[in-house]
Amino acid sequence: MSALPRADELGLIGCHVCGLVCRDGHVHDQACPRCGARLHRRKSASASRTWAWLITAFIFYLPANLLPIMRTVSLGDVDDNTILSGVVELWVKGSPDLAVIVFTASIVVPMLKFLVLGTLLVSVQRRSLWAQRQRTMLYRLVEFIGYWSMLDVFVVALLTALVRFNVLSQVEPLPGVVYFGLTVVATMFASMSFDPRLIWDNRDNDD
């Protein structure tokens, strides 16, 4: 199947903010007539900025897992939990549903984002033609799950609020949860910095 014409070949450019398709005036600092955002064919330095945010997120992710995220005090018994020990604790104490939520939000989702964004970056920089449609779907998946990345922090906040009703128990958030929040923010910026149009820049056809 022959390749469809590119937007650049048709003299068109899309606004990345409101999605309006505009006529490319080939002028510096051209702005979208609807929302006023600056128009550009590709996000500037997309790959390098995405790498920077992704590496930053991974650096934050190490203390997020090594440092305790939560302290529970019950009848004089003080217990500090990391993410993984917290998952085990929730499971053993009869809350498998919460354990699954925390494990998914804290381990599965961040690792999936690291893996997918890293794969997208490497394939784009190698100008790969491999599975372009599937890679675009992977990027959309990363964008979608990004909305749920703070679930772990919400669970800690919820547990803290619930346990405060019990005068014999107490829950305190510890530094690990701060690093986890920073990890989530950095991965969100990494996802926003990546320009998925780079996946299609080297396509020869539409198969």
Side-chain angles (χ1 to χ4, degrees), residues 121-135:
L121 283 167
V122 171
S123 62
V124 162
Q125 290 185 312
R126 295 172 69 91
R127 307 178 71 82
S128 171
L129 300 175
W130 167 72
Q132 290 162 305
R133 193 181 303 276
Q134 289 78 6
R135 281 187 285 149

Side-chain angles (χ1 to χ4, degrees), residues 149-160:
S149 298
M150 280 289 188
L151 199 57
D152 186 53
V153 179
F154 291 150
V155 168
V156 173
L158 182 63
L159 285 175
T160 304

Side-chain angles (χ1 to χ4, degrees), residues 1 9 27 38 47 51 67 92 101 115 117 129 151 189 191:
M1 183 176 179
E9 295 166 354
V27 296
R38 183 179 173 184
W51 271 122
L67 296 176
V92 170
I101 290 174
L115 181 64
L117 285 175
L129 300 175
L151 199 57
F189 276 116
S191 177

Side-chain angles (χ1 to χ4, degrees), residues 4-207:
L4 294 172
R6 297 170 182 270
D8 184 44
E9 295 166 354
L10 297 174
L12 300 174
I13 186 169
C15 175
H16 70 284
V17 176
C18 69
L20 180 67
V21 177
C22 311
R23 182 66 61 185
D24 189 354
H26 297 285
V27 296
H28 184 62
D29 288 341
Q30 181 180 352
C32 173
R34 181 160 65 186
C35 69
R38 183 179 173 184
L39 297 176
H40 43 73
R41 295 187 186 85
R42 297 291 180 269
K43 294 178 181 177
S44 61
S46 171
S48 56
R49 287 192 294 119
T50 307
W51 271 122
W53 281 115
L54 198 61
I55 292 170
T56 302
F58 189 75
I59 291 172
F60 284 140
Y61 192 58
L62 295 177
N65 278 276
L66 296 175
L67 296 176
I69 64 166
M70 185 172 62
R71 171 175 293 158
T72 56
V73 180
S74 179
L75 297 174
D77 184 24
V78 180
D79 194 12
D80 292 350
N81 284 301
T82 62
I83 290 176
L84 280 178
S85 67
V87 169
V88 174
E89 184 96 0
L90 286 170
W91 187 278
V92 170
K93 298 244 174 119
S95 300
D97 47 353
L98 275 180
V100 171
I101 290 174
V102 173
F103 180 78
T104 302
S106 307
I107 305 296
V108 177
V109 170
M111 293 306 294
L112 183 64
K113 293 176 80 170
F114 289 138
L115 181 64
V116 170
L117 285 175
T119 301
L120 292 176
L121 283 167
V122 171
S123 62
V124 162
Q125 290 185 312
R126 295 172 69 91
R127 307 178 71 82
S128 171
L129 300 175
W130 167 72
Q132 290 162 305
R133 193 181 303 276
Q134 289 78 6
R135 281 187 285 149
T136 303
M137 293 172 67
L138 277 178
Y139 176 72
R140 290 176 183 162
L141 175 66
V142 168
E143 278 198 313
F144 174 74
I145 63 177
Y147 299 122
W148 302 94
S149 298
M150 280 289 188
L151 199 57
D152 186 53
V153 179
F154 291 150
V155 168
V156 173
L158 182 63
L159 285 175
T160 304
L162 288 174
V163 174
R164 283 188 187 281
F165 286 106
N166 185 348
V167 295
L168 298 178
S169 301
Q170 186 178 4
V171 172
E172 299 174 17
L174 293 178
V177 77
V178 176
Y179 284 104
F180 184 79
L182 291 173
T183 302
V184 172
V185 172
T187 53
M188 291 176 72
F189 276 116
S191 177
M192 291 168 59
S193 299
F194 183 76
D195 192 337
R197 294 172 295 187
L198 294 173
I199 296 172
W200 297 92
D201 273 355
N202 301 308
R203 68 108 168 86
D204 296 322
N205 54 55
D206 297 305
D207 293 336

